[in-house]
Amino acid sequence: MDYNQLAVNLLDAKSLISSLGAIGLIAIIFAETGLLVGFFFPGDSLLIIAGVASSSAASSVLGDGARLPIATLLIGAPIAAIAGAQLGHQIGVKVGPKMFDKPESKIFKREYVLKAEEYFNRFGPGKAVVLARFMPIVRTFLNPVAGTLEMPAKTFFLWNVVGGVLWTESMLLIGYFFGDALAPVIDKYLIPAVLLIVLLSISPMIVEVLRERKKRKAGGAQAGEGGETVQAGGGRHRRD
């Protein structure tokens, strides 16, 4: 057995897809959004390359005769993303306070909860959950933080479904419909393309942050004191 052929570069989307196929990809999407150790997986790149690998340009990505089933991806990926995020939220509900209150932890830091709480206060739960889908690492940690902050399960589920479907389907369909154009340059331009997509996705949030800063500067110290603040005391505040 050639063990070199079994080696998978966990940070290389093409290697992951070639080695694991459609079912493996769906499992990774679940791990990235639900299992906190999966934050390092390249979810955006995986979905775009999977879309290319299910298009007429599949041979350029996976080799001759290989092609991923697009129907399986379009159904399985959003289900995995939604289920994974629900698991992350439930983890936050059950063990979030203990997990994020460990001073020695280098991953689950208390400051993540405080920053996420400010994020929820500023943009509202719906926009926060949906936009987080398009931000690597954030989409992994926001789910348990939402549970830690006691975001209601029904509210989280609603926006989790919206965000999960928008994220997975948009990335897959970009790769599928533009497969022929992307395949020849996918190694060189994939990362810049993903960064551009992420930037466009979070642009409303950036605009709102800049608008808020401008408003505070215009209003002076009084406007700054009148704005929203983060309650850092208990860290568990219900978000209706």
Side-chain angles (χ1 to χ4, degrees):
M1 179 182 293
D2 185 355
Y3 288 96
N4 290 327
Q5 294 181 354
L6 297 179
V8 177
N9 183 351
L10 295 179
L11 300 180
D12 185 343
K14 285 181 65 175
S15 176
L16 284 169
I17 291 173
S18 298
S19 303
L20 303 178
I23 301 302
L25 169 91
I26 292 171
I28 288 173
I29 294 300
F30 175 82
E32 185 187 9
T33 54
L35 305 179
L36 299 181
V37 295
F39 65 89
F40 57 84
F41 284 119
D44 301 299
S45 302
L46 274 171
L47 289 168
I48 292 177
I49 293 180
V52 176
S54 62
S55 71
S56 58
S59 59
S60 300
V61 177
L62 301 182
D64 294 335
R67 187 169 181 174
L68 297 183
I70 186 61
T72 300
L73 294 173
L74 290 174
I75 296 173
I79 291 176
I82 293 167
Q86 287 297 136
L87 174 61
H89 180 267
Q90 192 63 23
I91 290 174
V93 171
K94 297 295 184 182
V95 299
K98 295 180 180 179
M99 183 170 60
F100 287 103
D101 279 341
K102 294 181 179 179
E104 71 280 5
S105 176
K106 295 182 179 180
I107 298 179
F108 310 117
K109 297 182 179 181
R110 173 66 179 161
E111 63 186 82
Y112 293 164
V113 180
L114 298 179
K115 288 180 180 179
E117 186 170 16
E118 182 179 9
Y119 181 57
F120 278 120
N121 284 336
R122 179 173 294 174
F123 303 109
K127 188 183 294 185
V129 172
V130 173
L131 290 178
R133 284 293 191 177
F134 295 87
M135 298 189 292
I137 300 179
V138 175
R139 61 173 159 262
T140 300
F141 288 103
L142 184 76
N143 304 319
V145 168
T148 303
L149 295 175
E150 295 185 342
M151 182 175 178
K154 290 182 178 180
T155 302
F156 181 82
F157 177 73
L158 171 63
W159 294 111
N160 174 30
V161 171
V162 174
V165 171
L166 284 177
W167 175 54
T168 55
E169 306 293 60
S170 64
M171 295 295 173
L172 285 170
L173 293 176
I174 286 173
Y176 182 77
F177 287 115
F178 296 96
D180 290 327
L182 289 173
V185 297
I186 201 165
D187 291 323
K188 186 176 181 180
Y189 295 110
L190 180 62
I191 292 179
V194 170
L195 291 177
L196 178 60
I197 292 170
V198 171
L199 181 61
L200 291 175
S201 301
I202 65 174
S203 58
M205 182 175 64
I206 296 174
V207 169
E208 197 160 341
V209 169
L210 295 176
R211 185 182 301 162
E212 180 68 19
R213 288 182 178 179
K214 185 177 180 180
K215 185 187 300 183
R216 289 183 179 181
K217 287 182 179 180
Q222 183 176 358
E225 293 175 359
E228 293 179 348
T229 59
V230 179
Q231 299 178 13
R236 288 175 65 84
H237 306 283
R238 182 168 298 278
R239 295 285 166 248
D240 295 321

